[in-house]
């Protein structure tokens, strides 16, 4: 069942999204050569305390961190570790969410560490672009897979591939609600989109093949062929005027 949110609920989710975006931005700013992924997690956790919110992922099905940090060929769900130090040339996916007054925000970005290869740069650019194209389809009267199709089209046109095993999701009073939002699918199919739906749209894109596996830690998803992977995500409300990105970073005055 898809929960349709009231104006008041969307107002609360706007606040959850705004705090999510702000903390994620701060973590991304801190990501540079010599920093461990655990230190990034500490920043996220400290800022949650400062701002009076709960990190959404900590303890979720036993996940140990506040932040998912996925380096290079890691796709999603990387566990923060004091043994993982970032170096120039890495790309890092940062996935983060909060709970504010019972409502969830969820967002992800992938950023370069120091100087990265042109291929890695292109992967980041195309993945973010595919998210933006998907978001543009999140409007009343469209179908769910119009979002999926826009993402898939953008990515496959340049020879990258869409991860199949993980998908986006509805979001609200739960981190994961109906519907599932795949990053692949046929245009014009899937449920009809309506005002008041809130979706976490999150392309996970591999530079090589789409196959992924789960590492021995039980969490980290990696590409089977060892190719680079990138992840971008926004929490998006469907309004009568079209998509409203709830997790957009608005700068320091927000
Ligand atoms: Mg998500």
């Amino acid at each position: 069942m898809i929960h349709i949110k009231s104006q008041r609920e969307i107002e609360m989710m706007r606040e959850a999204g705004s705090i999510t975006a702000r903390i994620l931005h701060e973590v991304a700013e801190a990501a540079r050569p010599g920093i461990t992924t655990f230190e990034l997690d500490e920043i996220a956790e400290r800022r949650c305390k400062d701002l009076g919110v709960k990190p959404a992922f900590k303890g979720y099905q036993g996940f140990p961190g506040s932040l998912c940090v996925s380096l290079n060929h890691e796709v999603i769900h990387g566990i923060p570790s004091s043994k993982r130090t970032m170096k120039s040339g890495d790309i890092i996916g940062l996935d983060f969410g909060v709970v504010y007054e019972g409502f969830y925000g969820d967002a992800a970005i992938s950023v370069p560490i120091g100087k990265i290869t042109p291929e890695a740069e292109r992967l980041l650019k195309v993945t973010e672009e595919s998210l933006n194209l998907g978001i543009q389809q999140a409007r009343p009267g469209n179908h769910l897979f119009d979002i999926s199709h826009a993402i898939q089209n953008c990515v496959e046109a340049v020879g990258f591939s869409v991860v199949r095993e993980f998908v986006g999701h509805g979001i609200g009073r739960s981190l994961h609600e109906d519907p599932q939002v795949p990053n692949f699918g046929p245009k014009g199919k899937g449920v009809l989109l309506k005002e008041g739906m809130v979706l976490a749209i999150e392309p996970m894109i591999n530079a090589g093949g789409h196959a992924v596996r789960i590492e021995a830690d039980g969490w980290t998803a990696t590409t089977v062929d060892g190719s680079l992977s990138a992840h971008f995500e926004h929490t998006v409300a469907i309004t009568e005027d079209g998509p409203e990105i709830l997790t957009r970073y608005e700068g320091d005055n927000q």
Side-chain angles (χ1 to χ4, degrees):
M1 197 194 90
I2 300 176
H3 292 281
I4 299 295
K5 276 78 180 178
S6 67
Q7 290 294 338
R8 195 195 140 270
E9 287 172 319
I10 287 179
E11 187 53 48
M12 307 291 278
M13 294 196 72
R14 202 173 273 132
E15 190 58 28
S18 166
I19 296 168
T20 299
R22 181 179 180 145
I23 296 176
L24 187 58
H25 174 80
E26 291 176 5
V27 170
E29 292 275 284
R32 57 179 180 273
I35 299 273
T36 68
T37 58
F38 183 73
E39 288 172 282
L40 296 180
D41 188 60
E42 285 183 318
I43 293 169
E45 189 147 341
R46 189 177 66 240
R47 293 300 284 145
C48 283
K49 285 206 183 80
D50 293 345
L51 297 169
V53 293
K54 254 181 54 186
F57 305 160
K58 186 136 194 170
Y60 184 84
Q61 294 181 358
F63 189 76
S66 295
L67 188 71
C68 294
V69 280
S70 307
L71 279 165
N72 300 325
H73 73 298
E74 296 171 352
V75 179
I76 50 166
H77 300 163
I79 298 173
S81 165
S82 55
K83 297 189 183 76
R84 300 293 297 281
T85 304
M86 283 167 283
K87 57 185 194 311
S88 183
D90 286 339
I91 59 170
I92 186 169
L94 303 165
D95 190 356
F96 178 70
V98 306
V99 198
Y100 167 80
E101 301 279 335
F103 288 92
Y104 282 81
D106 190 3
I109 47 175
S110 294
V111 294
I113 305 297
K115 183 153 176 50
I116 62 172
T117 64
E119 194 206 19
E121 246 168 57
R122 201 162 64 99
L123 177 66
L124 297 183
K125 189 166 163 279
V126 170
T127 305
E128 186 170 23
E129 163 92 358
S130 76
L131 172 59
N132 290 330
L133 291 171
I135 289 171
Q136 283 173 29
Q137 297 298 320
R139 52 184 71 249
N142 276 5
H143 290 265
L144 180 66
F145 295 163
D146 292 342
I147 298 172
S148 316
H149 183 78
I151 292 169
Q152 182 177 21
N153 230 15
C154 168
V155 164
E156 292 183 351
V158 297
F160 295 148
S161 61
V162 171
V163 170
R164 303 297 202 267
E165 285 85 348
F166 300 97
V167 296
H169 48 94
I171 181 169
R173 287 187 184 274
S174 301
L175 179 57
H176 297 116
E177 295 184 353
D178 287 340
Q180 292 200 339
V181 185
N183 299 302
F184 54 95
K187 201 179 164 104
K189 302 281 186 196
V191 297
L192 198 59
L193 299 178
K194 290 190 183 133
E195 185 183 350
M197 290 180 180
V198 182
L199 305 175
I201 303 173
E202 51 176 323
M204 289 149 267
I205 305 304
N206 298 345
H210 67 73
V212 300
R213 64 161 167 247
I214 307 296
E215 294 299 315
D217 63 19
W219 279 103
T220 314
T222 57
T223 57
V224 168
D225 61 11
S227 66
L228 293 175
S229 188
H231 180 206
F232 284 81
E233 176 179 23
H234 273 306
T235 298
V236 179
I238 298 178
T239 75
E240 66 173 333
D241 302 325
E244 179 187 347
I245 299 174
L246 303 181
T247 46
R248 192 192 289 285
Y249 177 65
E250 302 284 4
D252 292 329
N253 55 353
Q254 79 181 116

